[in-house]
Amino acid sequence: MISCSDFMAEIGNYLEGDLAAEVRVQLENHLAHCQICHVVVDSTRKTLQIVTDTGSFDLPETVSKPITERVMARIREAKR
Ligand SMILES: [Zn+2]
């Protein structure tokens, strides 16, 4: 079983679908049992959607990636 901090370390990759299949399975198993991470994934996904939707164009990878990282950094700070 992975821990919440393991999950948080991979959440950016998880949301971007940038994971090995076996890692994704582990994260999804954790997500199924952990309400905290479930909420974090949910709100992060919504935040990213809002950020992306308010742009009048599709954000290129180079722009959207730092946004993910900024959201992640904020979550990590909130957890401290
Ligand atoms: Zn968790």
Side-chain angles (χ1 to χ4, degrees):
M1 261 309 206
I2 63 168
S3 68
C4 288
S5 52
D6 292 333
F7 187 90
M8 294 301 163
E10 294 293 343
I11 191 172
N13 294 330
Y14 176 74
L15 289 171
E16 282 167 20
D18 187 17
L19 284 173
E22 66 265 27
V23 179
R24 168 170 286 273
V25 167
Q26 282 187 3
L27 295 182
E28 274 167 0
N29 277 340
H30 180 83
L31 208 54
H33 297 106
C34 181
Q35 188 64 22
I36 299 164
C37 291
H38 190 83
V39 169
V40 171
V41 164
D42 222 46
S43 56
T44 306
R45 197 176 268 151
K46 277 182 196 136
T47 307
L48 289 173
Q49 236 161 35
I50 291 161
V51 171
T52 317
D53 284 356
T54 46
S56 52
F57 49 88
D58 284 340
L59 294 168
E61 176 80 354
T62 46
V63 176
S64 63
K65 192 134 186 154
I67 292 169
T68 314
E69 269 151 31
R70 246 175 288 154
V71 173
M72 290 308 120
R74 222 184 301 162
I75 290 166
R76 276 187 213 114
E77 246 156 63
K79 284 208 91 190
R80 243 175 257 150

